[in-house]
Amino acid sequence: MINIILAIAIGIIAGTLTGLIPGVHINLIALLLFTSSAFFLNFTTPIMLAIFIVSMAITHTVVDFIPSIFLGAPDTSTALSVLPGHKLLLKGQGYGAVKLTVIGSFFGLLIALALVPFFIAIMPVFYPFLIKAMAFILIAIFVFLIMKEKKKFLAFFIFSLSGILGIATLNFTLLKQPLFPLLSGLFGISLLSISFIKNVKLPEQKIKNIKVSKKQTIKALGASIFSSSLVSFLPGVGSAQAAVISTAFGKLSRKAFLILLGAINTIVMALSFVALYTIQKPRTGSAVIISKFLWNFNLQSLLLLLAAALVAGSVAVFITLALARVFAKKIVKINYKLLCIVIICFISILTVILSGWFGLIVLLTATSIGITTSIMGVKKMHMMGALLFPTILFYLF
Amino acid sequence: MKTKSLLKLSLITALIGTFFIIILADNLEPQVIQIININEKTLDQWVKVQGIVTNQRTVDSLNIFTVYDGTAGIRAVLRRKIPETAALEQKEVEIIGKVIDYKGEFEIEISKLRIIK
């Protein structure tokens, strides 16, 4: 029992660190753990390592909106939060923006856990159908998004351009960790570059709630559970695609969108462990590593991991709000222009370390597309073509 | 939602999660299996066996046991050093490990070993 609590505690600490540092992903830590598992198994059991990974993963999904919103440095799953988060940051509501994602993560986790019996019963039945239908679902969403846009041609242009970049990047065998420079460029550095050029100054950050209507909140949570449950069980799709699918449920305010993104991020992670149990297919890096550790991944193991997820997610609420408070107070004391430069340099260096020099080319190209999108006045959502286009092709062929 | 309410709710759910962990923490390990039932179906599965160590030898840091539970015997391998005084021959042990195929024979790669008596 004490061992389990210790595993959860260490997992929460690890998840907090990985969540705060852009570019450091839980998959990296999980992989390191796996490669050194022979050493760790001298002191503990596989289930404890699995509990550590789950706790780290869930905590990460809550905390990682902090760098995304305050620093404009997202990872794969938080890329779409950069723009609405940044807009709220510029209004002095950075803390409120993070809190919205925390609300989404927390309630999303609770709803997902409550629906686990439903998923266990239904998923094996619907899974073969979903595999066949996924390409058409994504195509329908893409068409829907373009048709909703006022500048349809430009939106289609941006979607296609991003899509071509996505395909080229993801198929570039010399490039390791392709998603990092791709999404950092499209959503992170492009925004920071614009902030730098416009000489943005951050206003005083207020530590207060942002009000979102109950209707919008329920809509956001409902959309998130539906889209997350689709992608959690399927290969090649994740939080980013789930966010795009959710837009089909109707217009959400910027603030409700942050709740949606928070919920999706955590639900997708939590349900990936359920997918491991129901269809014996791991859908996230963490689930892959757990599948290699765990003996007889039975219902009891799953329930134990989900209980750990609940504890970790709950504690992550405290940690994230406390850290958001710190960030909100400190960030205004920093020269934001200088901060933009530092983050851009940091991401660039990280790109070279993770993806090599070719990664820089991807980063520059993606940044150009991101800046072009802003100048054209087209929604940044269309840049998700970088992931959607390859995913559609994956399912079609 | 007010921060205080959110934090109170998080605290409650953390306690609920901890409560479930306490209940589920028992019986984490696999059920005991008779060695005679170890076959292709159990390959790569984690199993628990109880039996007497009939043979023990050490090769570098590899400890190789033969465990017999009254139904059959199986080789079990522990890939770490144990104190030299821990001679386990004729002792009853409980082993948790993964069933692997080594040169056409099943053996257990030990994760956990406990001396019963």
Side-chain angles (χ1 to χ4, degrees), chain A residues 152-198:
Chain A
K152 292 180 181 43
F153 175 74
L154 288 177
F156 179 75
F157 173 72
I158 291 296
F159 183 91
S160 307
L161 198 59
S162 309
I164 292 166
L165 178 64
I167 291 170
T169 304
L170 294 171
N171 284 298
F172 194 174
T173 47
L174 289 174
L175 191 64
K176 293 173 230 174
Q177 305 275 356
L179 288 181
F180 181 72
L182 181 65
L183 296 177
S184 296
L186 287 172
F187 295 98
I189 292 193
S190 56
L191 183 77
L192 290 171
S193 303
I194 290 168
S195 295
F196 178 84
I197 292 165
K198 284 186 179 175

Side-chain angles (χ1 to χ4, degrees), chain A residues 53-384:
Chain A
I53 290 172
V54 167
S55 306
M56 177 178 63
I58 295 293
T59 305
H60 178 99
T61 64
V62 185
V63 175
D64 72 352
F65 283 99
I66 291 181
S68 185
I69 288 167
F70 279 104
L71 304 179
D75 70 11
T76 323
S77 48
T78 60
L80 284 172
S81 70
V82 175
L83 187 62
H86 192 71
K87 289 206 165 156
L88 288 172
L89 183 70
L90 293 179
K91 287 184 184 175
Q93 294 177 326
Y95 171 84
V98 171
K99 189 177 165 187
L100 290 173
T101 64
V102 167
I103 289 172
S105 287
F106 179 65
F107 285 102
L109 179 63
L110 293 184
I111 297 170
L113 293 179
L115 291 176
V116 162
F118 170 77
F119 287 122
I120 290 174
I122 294 295
M123 263 314 149
V125 175
F126 276 99
Y127 176 67
F129 165 75
L130 277 176
I131 285 270
K132 289 176 187 164
M134 197 57 185
F136 303 103
I137 293 171
L138 291 175
I139 290 170
I141 300 292
F142 146 64
V143 170
F144 173 75
L145 285 174
I146 300 290
M147 296 312 291
K148 266 181 65 175
E149 182 72 51
K150 283 182 188 163
K151 301 174 185 175
K152 292 180 181 43
F153 175 74
L154 288 177
F156 179 75
F157 173 72
I158 291 296
F159 183 91
S160 307
L161 198 59
S162 309
I164 292 166
L165 178 64
I167 291 170
T169 304
L170 294 171
N171 284 298
F172 194 174
T173 47
L174 289 174
L175 191 64
K176 293 173 230 174
Q177 305 275 356
L179 288 181
F180 181 72
L182 181 65
L183 296 177
S184 296
L186 287 172
F187 295 98
I189 292 193
S190 56
L191 183 77
L192 290 171
S193 303
I194 290 168
S195 295
F196 178 84
I197 292 165
K198 284 186 179 175
N199 201 15
V200 162
K201 283 185 175 54
L202 287 185
E204 193 73 24
Q205 297 294 308
K206 299 166 212 145
I207 311 291
K208 66 173 202 171
N209 297 332
I210 296 178
K211 283 189 183 153
V212 180
S213 69
K214 268 190 189 158
K215 193 179 169 188
Q216 283 277 297
T217 304
I218 291 168
K219 201 172 169 184
L221 290 172
S224 68
I225 200 74
F226 179 79
S227 56
S228 300
S229 52
L230 278 183
V231 307
S232 298
F233 293 84
L234 298 175
V237 283
S239 308
Q241 290 89 342
V244 177
I245 292 170
S246 299
T247 56
F249 285 82
K251 194 169 171 54
L252 281 174
S253 68
R254 188 180 299 142
K255 295 163 187 175
F257 190 63
L258 285 171
I259 295 177
L260 173 94
L261 291 176
I264 285 174
N265 210 18
T266 303
I267 294 170
V268 166
M269 183 58 72
L271 290 186
S272 71
F273 307 121
V274 180
L276 184 59
Y277 172 72
T278 52
I279 56 174
Q280 289 82 50
K281 298 216 188 294
R283 292 293 178 229
T284 58
S286 304
V288 168
I289 302 299
I290 285 173
S291 69
K292 293 184 191 303
F293 274 137
L294 224 51
W295 61 64
N296 278 342
F297 191 51
N298 53 25
L299 184 62
Q300 187 175 15
S301 302
L302 174 66
L303 292 177
L304 187 59
L305 293 186
L306 294 179
L310 180 60
V311 174
S314 304
V315 173
V317 169
F318 286 89
I319 291 173
T320 309
L321 291 179
L323 286 171
R325 211 173 258 268
V326 170
F327 269 76
K329 284 179 182 167
K330 298 287 181 202
I331 202 160
V332 288
K333 293 177 183 170
I334 300 169
N335 181 323
Y336 191 62
K337 214 168 167 175
L338 182 63
L339 183 64
C340 288
I341 295 172
V342 168
I343 295 167
I344 290 171
C345 291
F346 176 71
I347 292 177
S348 305
I349 293 167
L350 211 53
T351 297
V352 173
I353 293 170
L354 294 174
S355 310
W357 292 103
F358 288 114
L360 263 186
I361 298 172
V362 172
L363 187 69
L364 281 167
T365 313
T367 303
S368 310
I369 295 176
I371 294 173
T372 306
T373 308
S374 294
I375 293 169
M376 285 181 178
V378 170
K379 287 198 186 109
K380 282 202 178 285
M381 173 71 76
H382 299 298
M383 291 195 294
M384 287 309 293

